Each structure stands twice: as C-alpha cells, then as structure tokens.
Amino acid sequence: MLKNINSRTGELCIAAVLLALAAFVIFEGLRMPIGTWALPGPGYFPIALAIILAIVSIGLLFRRPEQPEPVELFHAKGLITLGAVAGVAFLFERIGAIPAFGLFLAALFYLLGETRWWIAVALGAAGASLAWLLFVYLLQLQLPGA
Amino acid sequence: MQTLDYLLHGFAIALTAKNLFYCSIGCLWGTVVGVLPGVGPLAGMALLLPLTYKLDPTGAIIMLAGIFYGAMYGGSTTSILVRMPGEAASVITCIDGYEMARKGRAGPALFLAGAGSFVGGTLSIIGLMLFAPILATVMLKVGPAAEFILMIFALLVVSFVALGSRLKVLAMIIVGLLLATVGIDSLTGWSRFTFGQLELSDGLNFVALSIGLFGVSEILLSFEETTKVKPIKPTLRQLLPNREELRASRGPVVRGSLIGFVFGIFPGVSHIVSTFVSYAIEKRLSKTPEEFGRGAVAGVAGPETANNATTGSSLIPLLVLGIPAIPSTAILLSAFLIHGVQPGPQLINDHPDVFWGLIASMYIGNLILVALNVPLVGIFVNLLRIPFGYLAPIILLISIIGVYSVNANILDVWVMLGAGVVGYLLRKFDYDVAPLLLALVLGDRIETNFRRALTISDGDYSIFVQGPAARVFICALALVVILQGVAIAAGYDQRTASEKDAGG
C-alpha cells in the first residue's frame, strides 16, 4: 500500500491531468471541421468544452488549498483485485470465458478470502460452472469459448 | 377516468406470471444490494442489466425499477441493525433507528421504516401517474432550443446539489460532456476521438463507465474499511409497534411523503437531501426534540418515508423528459435505450405497455417489498456476515460479464477497469463522479439540440432565451436554489452524505 500521499499533491496531479486532457482535446479538435459561430461543426463543441476545462483546471491548480491531509492510496487487496480483473480481460478471449472466470475466482478467493488453496480452487470451479449455467445456458449470452 | 383505464391496462400487464416474477426478482435483488454496503442501487442495476437482454422491454424495465426502489427498503435494515447505511439515502436513519434497536425496539423500527417506505413509495407512484402524462403533453410542444436549456438546467442543478467543491463538480460535468463526444457525430457523420477503433464509433460504453466509476471504485474503497459488522438481532416477536409509536409516526409519514415527492423531481442527490430535510422538520415540529438522537420514532419514520417517496417522483424527469435525475435512473435510461425504447414525452403514446406496466408494477413491487423486508429481515441481515473477500470477486465477475455482454467487446472490460481506477482516485480526492455520469448521458442530446436550434434560427443565439419554456426552466432553477438553501438551513451536511454515497 502506498501511504501518506499529501492530499494537495494529489489534487494538483488531478488538476494537471485535466489540463493535459483539455490541451489534447483542443489539439485533436482543431483537426476536425469547427464550422462557424452560426453553424457549428463537429469540432466546435469539444473545443469549447476543452477551453472551459482548461480554465477550470487552472482554477483548481491555483485555488487556495484546504488543510493538507495524508491520503492512503491502493490497499494491497485493491491492487490484487485490479490485477485479477486485468488478468481475466487478457485471458478472456485466449483461453475462453469460463476457464478465465474459474482462475479469476480461485485466485481472488485465495488471496482476498484468505482460504486454503484447494478450497479456493473448488469454489472457483463451482463459481465458473454456476456462471456458465446462469449466463450461457439459461440466459444464452454469447461468451467466448463457451 | 382515462387514467384509471390505463392503470387497469397496466395491472393486466404487470400481473402476468412472468412480469410478477421479474418484479419479485428485482425487488429481492434490490433489497440485497440495499442491505449490502458497497453495492448500492446503481451497481445493483448495472449488474443485473445483462440478465435483461433476452427479456421484452416491459419485463426488463419492471425488473430494473424493482432494484431501484427495492434498494431504498433494504438500506434501512442495516442502518437500524448495524448503524451502517446500506445505501446513501439511509444515512440519517442510522441515528434514531440504531438507538431504537439498542433499546430493544428493533422490530418496531424496522416495521415503521417498512410501513413508511410503503406509504411514501405508493403516494409517489400516484403522483407519478397523475403528473407524468400532463407534463408529457406540455413537453411535446417544446423545441430543440428549450430542450437544450432544460438539459443545461439539469446539469446546473446537479452542480448546485452535488457533493464537494463547485469547481471540482464543474470539472466533472465538462469531462462527462467531453466523453460523450467520443464516436460518430450524429449530425455530420464525422468520427471524433475514435483513433481508428471501430468499437468506439458508437461512443463509450455507458454501462462499462458507470460500473467502473461507481462499482469497481467502491470495491477498491471498501478494502480500506476496517469496521467489523456486529448486527443487533431483532426480536421479531415484538415486531409490531405499540399504539404510542404508531401515533408518533403518522404525521412524519405524511410529511415525509410530501417532502420526498417534491425533492425527487429535481436532479442531483435529491433522495439524500430529502431525508435530511425530513429529519430536521420532524425535530423542529416535535414536542420532545431532545428524543432525537436517542431513538425517536419520527426520526426513523419521516426520513425513511421521504427517501422512498423520491423513487416515484425521480422517475418523472426520466420518463417524461428523458433526463435521469440521479445516477441510478441513468442506468434505467441506458436499459430503456438498449431495449429500443426512447424515454421522453412520446413514451406514454409510443410505449403505453412499458409506461403503464411499470407504474402498475411499482404498486405491486411496494407490496412485495413490505412482505420481503419486514418478516424476512433476519435472512437479509445474515448477508452481512459474508466476508467481503468472497463477496467482491462475485460482484466483479457479474460486472465483467455484464459489461462484456452489452457489445460482446473485451475493450469494454478494459474501459471498466480504467474507469474503476479513475473513479477511485477521484473519490479519494473528493471529486463526486455522479455529475460526470449524468453529463455523459445527456452530452449527446445537449450538443445535438444546441446545433439543431442554431440551424433552425439561422445562427441566432437569442433562440435559447426566447419562449415561455425557457423562462419556466429559469424559474425552476431559482426554485431549486431555494430548496437547496432550505436543505442547508435544515442541517443537511454534504460531507456526511458523501461518505456513504456509494452509488445512489
């Protein structure tokens, strides 16, 4: 877990990202037909919004800071969860949805539920089978390899 | 008389075996997500969305609406028994509900919350049934300029009532509007911000973004909670309130219904604000205000009635104007569109089965919820004993399936993951993500109406302030500012609500 990020530092980072987003939209928007004041084109709205976003971001960058507080970011279990979702997204179409779900559930039951590995594997297999039964067999959703 | 005929037609639709089944499933799931902290009605509806793809539009909407109002019932259970609001609108019930439970009056507290929710919910459905057709007739005469002003009005209202700094709220609204520009421009066919990806031609997947911003970020935040849950066991033999408690709850239930209905019409966090206003008014009117905070019956009955009374009225802007008042109804809007039904003034004429079937199902759903929530409360409380380490993977798995199923596109799962991380970071630094979501939903219509109005007026910008509709919306904005002032004066604390605003 990353600890004690200053809240003001975090706020400045977010404001800087918003400013960068505004700059990017203006850059991309200028490559679209902007139209005229009376008859706006597809680039008009994004550019107008990006200009407002840039002004707001600058406001956020320079606003009077509140009392800075330490902010804890990303609990270890949160990072494991994100990794597992990324893993299932990567494996989903490669090994098929149901095996990917089984691995996903087993890994998270083991790491987050802090259970024994064989129980996690059994629960993962049961959960994946249940997902197949409900979503593929009963609801007839199209999942890769299922 | 005509309304009664339509309502009977609605009941004929809602009382079919399959629609009763969908309604029951929606109410049951709504109660479960209301009980479970960290899921909330928005994530609950988004999770069940893929299950509705194979259903007819009426059945799908009936089920999802059941989750929406069912969560309001479930939220009170944990507030009373655990002092932990299952969803944001039940924050205030924690105060006196939990104190009643500690004094051995958990049963009556749950009964009064359930009964108040039933009365508030039912009265607001009557209001929805009576007002929606009238408003729809008026809205049919409104052109693109007034529609543009109306949607800007909705966003302005959100910025007034949203949580946190106004500058941050404004930033979120603009980011939402910018995200809405991704995809093919509907007026010229120009590809915007798609970077050659065909998958982005239809724009960003709203379900993926909403589950990521609210659902995934909430799970990440929940891992940081260290509170252990120790529910108070209700003595169900003493479920019925005594005569004194019944008398004390009568006035708060009537007032709560009215407050909830009025606040529910306006976009933002109306369902939360209404509970704070109801609590403050009951305390002000009480002959024994010192009882508040120590288990006052009115402190449970009033706010619980108010939060359920918002459910019916918050559907008015969605069904009649196509504008979601709160993030949960934004998911409902998404469900309407997925099923090929466009909410708006034409809905009642074009899809009477959906509209009247939904209204009738809400009456039935309220009855189902009372039956579910009062006697079966012990079963729902046991859900809180499931360790989060087991619950989170299951919620995430359903989210992944739900998000993927919308377009059968794995890119949407990556979008959900990215939105989850962004939502988590934004919420850590006090950015409210609800305005972003509402702006994303309305963005395309705002831009289209803006450009259409200018085409009609030949580039004359004064079209936006002409006509009675625009003036009405400006007056309505003033009314919202006054209502917000009343809420703040009544002691509504944005930060208190934000702490538990999981996705309402």
Side-chain angles (χ1 to χ4, degrees), chain B residues 27-93:
Chain B
C27 292
L28 181 68
W29 181 245
T31 305
V32 170
V33 300
V35 168
L36 293 173
V39 186
L42 187 138
M45 288 163 75
L47 289 174
L48 229 61
L49 195 56
L51 267 69
T52 70
Y53 295 161
K54 298 280 175 182
L55 308 185
D56 62 284
T58 311
I61 299 303
I62 284 175
M63 187 159 91
L64 292 168
I67 302 170
F68 171 52
Y69 55 82
M72 300 293 175
Y73 276 79
S76 60
T77 305
T78 43
S79 294
I80 292 166
L81 300 179
V82 198
R83 204 187 166 93
M84 183 189 280
E87 47 84 38
S90 297
V91 171
I92 203 95
T93 312

Side-chain angles (χ1 to χ4, degrees), chain B residues 231-370:
Chain B
I232 291 174
K233 282 199 170 180
T235 319
L236 293 178
R237 269 174 294 181
Q238 294 178 339
L239 193 65
L240 288 177
N242 55 37
R243 201 171 288 177
E244 199 182 314
E245 286 169 333
L246 271 178
R247 200 181 307 127
S249 65
R250 226 175 285 159
V253 165
V254 174
R255 285 187 288 273
S257 301
L258 197 67
I259 292 164
F261 186 81
V262 172
F263 274 82
I265 298 170
F266 296 101
V269 285
S270 50
H271 55 314
I272 308 169
V273 180
S274 70
T275 61
F276 280 82
V277 172
S278 165
Y279 189 84
I281 288 177
E282 294 312 326
K283 193 174 177 181
R284 192 70 55 89
L285 294 176
S286 174
K287 287 174 186 162
T288 52
E290 67 280 2
E291 279 294 307
F292 279 73
R294 294 176 188 166
V297 170
V300 178
E304 274 305 312
T305 306
N307 87 35
N308 280 271
T310 58
T311 54
S313 53
S314 67
L315 288 179
I316 294 177
L318 174 70
L319 298 175
V320 178
L321 312 175
I323 294 174
I326 53 177
S328 299
T329 53
I331 286 283
L332 213 49
L333 171 65
S334 176
F336 271 109
L337 298 176
I338 285 172
H339 286 278
V341 178
Q342 175 67 57
Q346 295 281 11
L347 176 74
I348 300 173
N349 292 330
D350 291 353
H351 301 278
D353 287 4
V354 175
F355 181 80
W356 291 104
L358 171 65
I359 300 263
S361 79
M362 288 175 76
Y363 285 107
I364 299 162
N366 265 289
L367 282 172
I368 292 172
L369 282 164
V370 172

Side-chain angles (χ1 to χ4, degrees), chain A residues 2 18 20 22 29 33 35 42 45 63 76 81 90-91 94 119-120 127 129 137:
Chain A
L2 296 171
L18 291 175
F45 213 64
R63 79 185 191 129
T81 304
F90 181 74
L91 293 173
R94 289 178 170 81
I119 296 177
S129 307
Y137 184 72

Side-chain angles (χ1 to χ4, degrees), chain B residues 295-442:
Chain B
V297 170
V300 178
E304 274 305 312
T305 306
N307 87 35
N308 280 271
T310 58
T311 54
S313 53
S314 67
L315 288 179
I316 294 177
L318 174 70
L319 298 175
V320 178
L321 312 175
I323 294 174
I326 53 177
S328 299
T329 53
I331 286 283
L332 213 49
L333 171 65
S334 176
F336 271 109
L337 298 176
I338 285 172
H339 286 278
V341 178
Q342 175 67 57
Q346 295 281 11
L347 176 74
I348 300 173
N349 292 330
D350 291 353
H351 301 278
D353 287 4
V354 175
F355 181 80
W356 291 104
L358 171 65
I359 300 263
S361 79
M362 288 175 76
Y363 285 107
I364 299 162
N366 265 289
L367 282 172
I368 292 172
L369 282 164
V370 172
L372 273 179
N373 275 268
V374 181
L376 302 181
V377 68
I379 296 170
F380 291 117
V381 170
N382 278 332
L383 288 172
L384 292 167
R385 297 183 202 279
I386 302 172
F388 195 66
Y390 287 94
L391 209 55
I394 297 167
I395 294 170
L396 282 167
L397 181 69
I398 304 172
S399 305
I400 292 167
I401 296 172
V403 165
Y404 176 83
S405 305
V406 178
N407 298 320
N409 185 358
I410 198 67
L411 181 70
D412 291 336
V413 179
W414 289 106
V415 169
M416 176 192 83
L417 185 65
V421 175
V422 171
Y424 168 81
L425 290 170
L426 289 172
R427 290 172 69 177
K428 285 296 276 188
F429 294 101
D430 297 328
Y431 281 81
D432 186 0
V433 288
L436 185 155
L437 210 59
L438 293 178
L440 174 66
V441 173
L442 297 177

Side-chain angles (χ1 to χ4, degrees), chain A residues 11 37 42 44 72 74 81, chain B residues 168 192 396 410 424 428 461:
Chain A
E11 289 198 349
W37 175 252
Y44 181 98
E72 291 185 348
F74 292 113
T81 304
Chain B
K168 287 179 178 178
R192 297 190 294 192
L396 282 167
I410 198 67
Y424 168 81
K428 285 296 276 188
Y461 277 72

Side-chain angles (χ1 to χ4, degrees), chain A residues 18 21-22 24 41 46 58 62 73 76 88 93 100 118 122 136-137 141 143:
Chain A
L18 291 175
L21 174 70
F24 172 76
I58 291 166
F62 292 102
L73 287 178
V88 86
E93 288 175 331
W118 57 271
V136 180
Y137 184 72
L141 295 184
L143 297 176

